[in-house]
Amino acid sequence: MTELVGAEVVIKALNDQSVDHVFGYPGGAVLPLYDELFKNNNAPQHILVRHEQGAVHAAEGYARSTGKPGVVIVTSGPGATNAITGLTDAMMDSVPIVCLTGQVPTHLIGTDAFQEADTIGITRACTKHNWLVKDPNDLARAIHEAFHVATSGRPGPVVVDIPKDIQFADAKYVPPAELKYENYKPQVKPNIANIEEAIELMGNAKRPVFYTGGGVINSGPEASHLLKELVLLTGFPVTSTLMGLGAFPSSDKNWLGMLGMHGTYEANLAMNECDLLINVGARFDDRVTGRLEAFSPLSKKIHVDIDPSSINKTVPVDVPIVADCAYALESMLMLWKSKGHKVDTKDWFDKINEWRKKNSLDFKNSTKLIKPQFAVQRLYELTKDKDVFITTEVGQHQMWAAQHYHFNEPNRWMTSGGLGTMGYGFPAAIGVQVAHPKSLVIDIAGEASILMNIQELSTAIQHKLPVKIFILNNQYMGMVRQWQELLHGGRYSHSYTHSLPDFVKLAEAYGAQGIRAEKPGELDKKIIQMIDSDLPVIFDCVVDQNENCYPMIPAGAAHNEMLLGEKEDDHEVSDEGKVLI
Amino acid sequence: MIKIKKEETESHTISILVDNEAGALARVIGLFSGRGYNIESLSVAEIDQDKHKSRITIVTNGSMMTINKIKSQLERLIPVHSVNDLTSEGPSIEREMALIKVVCSKSDKEEVIRLSEVYRAKTVDTTQDSFIFELTGNIEKINSFVDLLRPLGLEDISRTGLAAVTRGSK
Ligand SMILES: Cc1ncc(C[n+]2csc(CCOP(=O)(O)OP(=O)(O)O)c2C)c(N)n1
Ligand SMILES: [Mg+2]
């Protein structure tokens, strides 16, 4: 054990956790920590953001594109409260984040001191766990435990709240190897009896479908690899949630596309008509199930999840498998091979191919206006052979990106799924670029969302992070407008994005490059210009204002009640549906 | 018109073993308020001073699916060591203690004393016109004693919340 001061302990602990980058913003309660970042040659590289929300989203992008935890340092009070949206986002999407918050000195806690906030109380609901360090000798343990909890089991955000006096105080350092984590040992290996049951069902299925989610990606690249192998062997079709895109290659013939509210016709109909549903690392989210009573009514259900509380939460299942996806897939693969099962899926695929003919992602292109779907398609065609990472904001553009940009590898797609946080995509892209300085990183954005964290352009410039912001500018909070059109009689209450800045000038004001495209004909040339730029770029892609995102399962409807496009006149949404979000 | 659906519910006694550390109770009850579960009764005290373990006993209600959800969500909390649904796991002994103050007229006094005898309540304080009874029993017993005293001058009541352990050797 070595005697250090608290701030040194923090840096040493980060070193021992192999942290190379931290995202943060200084303030009174973390000055000793920042002093250490300044003095200490071993300190991780610090990326100064322009708002603490940006720090957490950047850490999320960093984590999701690398599989490593993202680390954040913020000050007490407003620093901590600004981080809340990011922490909640990471909680909902199971992203490993370690957030170190400064706190007023221990003797002032509870006195309403300057910049005091009850960070532990406030973050209790939006972290997997949190720690207030009141004894300097507990500091190292708390930080190591924080990394352990954030990264094991179902990943998530954690907070370590460190009072300022603790950062100055003499503190014993304990390396991670000397600690035991008695309290938190999540089950990662499946119960073999459950795997046997699952394989039995799979061997006898006539209309099976894999429904995979973010859990496959969180489990690591090996899980994606095993999934591919299992699909190849079984010949079953695969669909995925928004969070799981990339875990299975979209170029594969068994790929059905994304499922859910804006998923493909074939994916949702397969869910509706399957006789066996194999959920691997997804959580039966309401965006996916639609009306619960009508969800996949004919199927037996297998559910692989590392979080036991996800199982039977909303959808009762026949075979629960509590395990890390990679372990579960590995066991399934081995047993499937040893049993020598063969399932004839020809009839099932005949049916699926009929559904595929609906071409549910199709749209009417135009030679005058840029259709947002067309813009994403062109972006995809012009970047797909590059080393590219895509993030998004939240809205129609996010769904169009999910539908028309295709992924063949995990960790290439970062989006805010569970919380649906506008303002996520740009800072997340910054985090991705920090981890992958040579790669092409694009935030597919809406003009409303991008303004929520536009200040981070300054971060991108300072740290020479040439992130590309590709705005599908429809001058509306398009997703809100779409719902107002479908549900509220076209009363577009406050969803027009009034008084937008000139995005080209805005980019230039920050020292970035601005590009605008207004006609379909100029799109390719300008996209190439964007790709070739060494600078961060705001690409203002002026698109059709009235385009709606289809297909769509209206709120409160079932998978087989999808709307495929404008033509359909039965837009009636039930009263029960209207209350849903 | 939108109707708010109500589901069939049943009452369950959940016994939770936690580390006795700052905030452990807040995490447990925060989970109940955050996810909209009910707490009908709550008791908590340290049961192992050396190992710093506390027992939290909560009576809640919900459908069986909800009860199972509560259980697995509690198990997910880091300071929680074990969660037992005593109602589902088989016979258990459940007891609560109440202190009940009655201020009554001369004419009701006899009836109050008679009731306390029937319920085997212990008289722990008495003055010219008041009693404090101590009563131990299951929730129903205490409820019915309190109901009977209500018209006779029930003045104040303090209950401990339920304590419970499983029967037999397990
Ligand atoms: C922080 C936050 N506030 C509000 C919302 C609700 N919301 C969802 S989509 C949307 C509109 C997004 O508009 P834009 O970024 O222009 O994207 P578009 O739908 O037009 O593609 C809004 C307001 C949200 N998701 N996040
Ligand atoms: Mg828009």
Side-chain angles (χ1 to χ4, degrees), chain A residues 396-397 446-448 472-479 497:
Chain A
Q396 291 179 319
H397 63 274
E447 81 295 339
L472 298 178
N473 186 346
N474 53 9
Q475 294 201 32
Y476 273 101
M477 299 172 197
M479 194 55 99
T497 49

Side-chain angles (χ1 to χ4, degrees), chain A residues 48 50 426 430 454-463 510:
Chain A
L48 177 68
R50 298 301 184 268
F426 179 38
I430 287 179
I454 191 68
Q455 76 286 346
E456 298 307 326
L457 200 44
S458 187
T459 308
I461 295 287
Q462 179 189 347
H463 300 282
Y510 278 102

Side-chain angles (χ1 to χ4, degrees), chain A residues 198-209:
Chain A
I199 292 297
E200 183 67 25
L201 287 177
M202 286 165 66
N204 291 311
K206 301 223 153 35
R207 299 184 310 279
V209 63

Side-chain angles (χ1 to χ4, degrees), chain A residues 115-133:
Chain A
Q115 295 196 330
E116 181 184 0
D118 175 8
T119 302
I120 292 298
I122 294 171
T123 59
R124 198 172 285 132
C126 63
T127 54
K128 205 171 151 185
H129 197 63
N130 56 20
W131 293 259
L132 170 63
V133 181

Side-chain angles (χ1 to χ4, degrees), chain A residues 91 120 124 128-131 134 149 154 183-184 293 307-309 312-316 575-576 579, chain B residues 1-3 5 19 21-23 26-28 30 35 53 65 69 72-73 75-81:
Chain A
M91 187 72 177
I120 292 298
R124 198 172 285 132
K128 205 171 151 185
H129 197 63
N130 56 20
W131 293 259
K134 285 189 178 162
V149 170
R154 178 177 181 174
N183 275 13
Y184 188 63
E293 303 88 83
D307 178 1
S309 78
N312 291 327
K313 186 171 63 176
T314 52
V315 174
D575 281 351
E576 281 77 15
V579 302
Chain B
M1 268 289 282
I2 309 277
K3 285 198 219 82
K5 273 187 226 146
D19 284 327
E21 62 180 32
R27 282 179 215 282
V28 168
R35 294 194 185 253
K53 298 277 184 291
M65 196 159 164
K69 263 191 263 187
S72 57
Q73 273 150 0
E75 281 166 344
R76 196 157 90 132
L77 299 176
I78 311 288
V80 167
H81 288 265

Side-chain angles (χ1 to χ4, degrees), chain A residues 53 85 393-400 419-423 445-452 471-481 495 497:
Chain A
Q53 184 189 353
T85 301
E393 307 292 337
V394 171
Q396 291 179 319
H397 63 274
Q398 175 188 31
M399 293 299 121
W400 284 317
L419 196 63
T421 313
M422 292 169 70
E447 81 295 339
S449 295
I450 193 61
L451 290 181
M452 287 216 175
I471 303 176
L472 298 178
N473 186 346
N474 53 9
Q475 294 201 32
Y476 273 101
M477 299 172 197
M479 194 55 99
V480 174
R481 190 197 53 67
S495 55
T497 49

